[in-house]
Every structure is written in structure tokens, then in C-alpha cells.
Amino acid sequence: MKISQSFEVARPLPAVWELFQDVPAVAACMPGAELTENKGDGVYAGRVGIKLGPFGASFEGEAQVTADPASFVGRAEGRGIDKKGGSRSRLVMDYQLKEAGSATLVSIDADIQLAGPIAQFGRTGIVTETANVLIGQFVKNVEARLSGEAADAPQSNEISALKVAGMVMKSYFKRSGS
């Protein structure tokens, strides 16, 4: 499934670009993600935990990260396996940063493939709403890091379905004006 998102970070492009080149710092800003090893040459090992009701998965895998500083674009390609539950994931994500006045516009195009038991939760609407919530938290954490504040520390490295569902509902009601 394809997901495209754009968001603004209230910081100048050079500062945001510098942060995006620090893969461990970016991983620390992403809810549910944990970087476990820098293997060199842009290859990183890590895990992403997710819990959807009684269903939990912890994807462990690797990602190759490349960037072009001349055009402020980058790519992350990764694969992960949940050894316990047998689910698999694949991600190809391209990002581009552009000046937006004194802020930076970040555009992300991702192709996410899920296989195994987790795929039953991979309906586009659910994934898109969840991505909106997670990206909102990611932006908040990026801005906190860039301003020298501590980012929201997650209680665990899992993305809780209950917490995400509450945030998705809050987001939905804000948009519908209820």
C-alpha cells in the first residue's frame, strides 16, 4: 500500500536536514521504533513493535538509508520479520525537504507491504489514519529535539493500538468539527 504524507517542521531547512542525516536521532523520534545497530555504509538494524488488541508483533530487520544533500532527498529501504508471529514487512520510503519560509516542508512517499497475520490489520484506511497520528507524534518529537527539549519518551517500544485508536478518534473528530 502506498502512503504519501507532507508536514511542516517549524525549523529552517539546514537544521532539519542535519537531523535527518542522524539516523539514530530520527529513529528515536519515531514512536515504536528502536535502532539496535549501525552496521556501517548506511545500513542499520532495528525493531518496530506494534500491539493491536491481543495481536502483537515485533518486526526485527535492517534498513539501507541513502541521502542526496544536493537535492535534500533521501531513501530508506527496509525489511522486517516478526519471528514470533510469522508476519513480514517491507518498506521503501522516499523523503524530500523543501524550504517553506522559515520552516521546512517534509514530503514522504512510502510503499509498505505486509504479509502474514499482521496483513489482516493492513486496511488502507486504518493504516492511513494510524500513519497520520504517528507522523504527528514524530513531528512533535523532531521539533522538541531541534529545540533542545526532551522528546516524549514512550512507556514502551510498542505502538499501542488503544493509544493509537484514541488518537485517531481525536483526529477524526477534530476534522469533522464535532
Side-chain angles (χ1 to χ4, degrees), residues 91-107:
L91 167 75
V92 176
M93 182 186 73
D94 294 307
Y95 66 89
Q96 180 175 25
L97 280 60
K98 291 183 179 178
E99 278 188 19
S102 61
T104 301
L105 178 66
V106 180
S107 298

Side-chain angles (χ1 to χ4, degrees), residues 6-80:
S6 292
F7 56 90
E8 234 177 63
V9 177
R11 299 285 176 206
L13 180 110
V16 178
W17 178 256
E18 184 179 333
L19 175 66
F20 271 60
Q21 302 321 294
D22 183 351
V23 175
V26 171
C29 292
M30 183 56 72
E34 178 186 5
L35 186 68
T36 58
E37 182 181 356
N38 180 346
K39 295 187 166 198
D41 294 327
V43 177
Y44 298 87
R47 73 177 58 92
V48 175
I50 188 165
K51 186 164 179 62
L52 300 168
F55 184 82
S58 179
F59 291 97
E60 294 184 35
E62 288 186 356
Q64 172 77 46
V65 180
T66 57
D68 178 12
S71 57
F72 298 107
V73 298
R75 172 175 270 217
E77 294 183 62
R79 294 177 188 265

